[in-house]
Amino acid sequence: MATSKKNNGNRKESLPRTLNDRPFYGLELDQDQLEFANTILNPDIDIVWVNAKAGTGKTTIATGVANMLVQHGQFDKIVYIMSPYGESKQGWLPGTITEKSSVYFEAFYQALVTCNINPQTAVSNDSMVNIKTGDAYITCITDTFLRGSNLDDAVIIVDEAQNATTRQLKTILTRVGKHVKVIVIGHEFQCDLAKPELSGFTKYIKHFEGQARSAVCTLLTNHRSWISQHADELPE
């Protein structure tokens, strides 16, 4: 359960500056993963871009470090944003916002479980039950429902960003407000858009290049299996 910054000031000092020689949810991080995690922890970096291939643990690491930042009172909440692969008619699907969008959040839910976080209590849902009990501190949303929102005092994870057009990424990033940590996750060679050239992922990495409080990380090792690794090596 997250604790508000206002009630959690005595825990701020315990947040490690790096994860060097420190446990990370029982996971063993390789050097690239450790650098990615440490970059997110760095208080001088506001936005972290990671261009990483499949199976490198990018979503899990982003989720775990984001949770650390909230649990240590640095931010009030986590906002997880997914672009639904160009499906602009998502709003016409039947059901609540949670029901319309939940199919896109499976990888994030798996990352939460890997980091010993219970999605049933940690993630806000339409019933608002876990919000009323004070357990919910994570919001999952697609960019379809994001317009008009202001994102303040949060760790913002933008996942599968290679499947967002430049306009969609602009919609997301221009919603970012004050006191935030933004983590943009993607892989330039895994774009599912019908026209990959419309992806805004690498364009925005270049746009932010050179900004003092922006950083880019790369993860190279596929940890899923040799089958996953070998399959990923075949050029399309």
Side-chain angles (χ1 to χ4, degrees):
M1 172 176 166
T3 306
S4 170
K5 288 190 305 165
K6 296 178 181 179
N7 301 320
N8 202 25
N10 63 333
R11 296 178 61 188
K12 285 186 179 181
E13 291 75 19
S14 64
L15 178 69
R17 294 284 300 212
T18 73
L19 292 177
N20 299 344
D21 302 318
R22 289 179 176 268
F24 186 73
Y25 303 96
L27 303 174
E28 184 176 344
L29 304 183
D30 67 28
Q31 191 58 44
D32 290 337
Q33 292 173 325
L34 183 61
E35 181 179 349
F36 177 37
N38 288 340
T39 302
I40 299 172
L41 281 176
N42 188 341
D44 296 325
I45 300 296
D46 295 327
I47 183 166
V48 182
W49 306 82
V50 59
N51 190 358
K53 62 198 305 186
T56 53
K58 50 190 181 290
T59 299
T60 298
I61 294 168
T63 301
V65 180
N67 187 64
M68 290 176 60
L69 289 168
V70 171
Q71 296 299 331
H72 286 85
Q74 305 302 300
F75 300 92
D76 279 349
K77 57 185 177 289
I78 298 171
V79 180
Y80 178 85
I81 303 171
M82 169 74 77
S83 183
Y85 306 101
E87 296 178 21
S88 59
K89 295 184 179 180
Q90 185 194 6
W92 294 98
L93 294 174
T96 64
I97 291 178
T98 298
E99 291 168 341
K100 294 171 189 285
S101 307
S102 59
V103 64
Y104 301 107
F105 305 143
E106 183 59 32
F108 180 60
Y109 292 155
Q110 290 179 11
L112 289 172
V113 172
T114 299
C115 295
N116 305 315
I117 305 165
N118 185 354
Q120 298 300 318
T121 56
V123 178
S124 303
N125 57 50
D126 293 328
S127 73
M128 303 295 284
V129 172
N130 53 3
I131 296 178
K132 292 178 180 178
T133 60
D135 292 330
Y137 61 97
I138 300 172
T139 298
C140 296
I141 193 168
T142 65
D143 69 289
T144 305
F145 301 107
L146 189 63
R147 191 173 296 277
S149 301
N150 293 316
L151 303 174
D152 297 301
D153 200 9
V155 184
I156 302 163
I157 301 174
V158 184
D159 208 353
E160 299 291 351
Q162 78 278 355
N163 291 321
T165 64
T166 304
R167 175 174 292 184
Q168 286 173 307
L169 275 180
K170 179 174 286 190
T171 298
I172 295 169
L173 295 174
T174 55
R175 301 280 78 78
V176 172
K178 298 177 180 178
H179 191 240
V180 295
K181 176 81 69 172
V182 184
I183 310 165
V184 186
I185 303 170
H187 186 222
E188 59 186 313
F189 299 122
Q190 288 182 291
C191 183
D192 295 318
L193 296 176
K195 296 181 178 180
E197 64 271 17
L198 296 179
S199 172
F201 180 56
T202 56
K203 296 174 186 175
Y204 259 111
I205 290 178
K206 293 178 181 178
H207 182 66
F208 274 82
E209 188 176 23
Q211 295 296 310
R213 301 186 69 88
S214 174
V216 180
C217 296
T218 303
L219 305 179
L220 301 175
T221 304
N222 184 329
H223 292 278
R224 283 179 180 155
S225 68
W226 75 266
I227 296 176
S228 176
Q229 173 74 42
H230 194 62
D232 194 45
E233 292 170 355
L234 179 66
E236 296 186 17

